[in-house]
Amino acid sequence: MALDRPPIAAEIRATLAVAAPLAAANLAQMAMQVTNAVMVGHLGAVPLAAAGLGNALNATLLMTSQGLLTAVAPLAAHSIGAGDHPAAGRVAGGGLIVATAVQRR
């Protein structure tokens, strides 16, 4: 007789399967900032402060850009679910325009 695992275990495994790559990407980004600080640290306080300010600005712009573009997926999915494929195309095109505009700044 096989032991049935409770459904919560399957949900936890599925959540971890999705969350692990996201957590790894976040840790890699933090490691890049630490590496930057280590490489610049020996140059002095002013260059280290400039590198820290650059990292903070980069993180702020990255989060703002991701926040703006997060709306594209649900809007496109809603359009596709409603059978309105031209609207999904317009949403995706608008997302590309926003991404390009944010990238150029």
Side-chain angles (χ1 to χ4, degrees):
M1 174 183 247
L3 292 175
D4 289 332
R5 291 186 179 173
I8 190 74
E11 291 296 328
I12 290 173
R13 278 194 313 278
T15 301
L16 287 176
V18 171
L22 295 172
N26 193 11
L27 289 173
Q29 184 139 18
M30 287 184 205
M32 289 291 290
Q33 292 176 358
V34 170
T35 302
N36 192 19
V38 168
M39 296 297 286
V40 175
H42 69 88
L43 297 176
V46 173
L48 183 60
L53 184 62
N55 280 333
L57 181 62
N58 181 37
T60 302
L61 291 174
L62 180 68
M63 283 191 248
T64 303
S65 300
Q66 285 179 339
L68 286 171
L69 295 175
T70 299
V72 172
L75 289 173
H78 183 267
S79 297
I80 290 171
D84 191 2
H85 294 282
R90 287 191 302 274
V91 167
L96 287 173
I97 291 170
V98 170
T100 303
V102 171
Q103 181 94 17
R104 290 186 171 195
R105 290 184 181 216

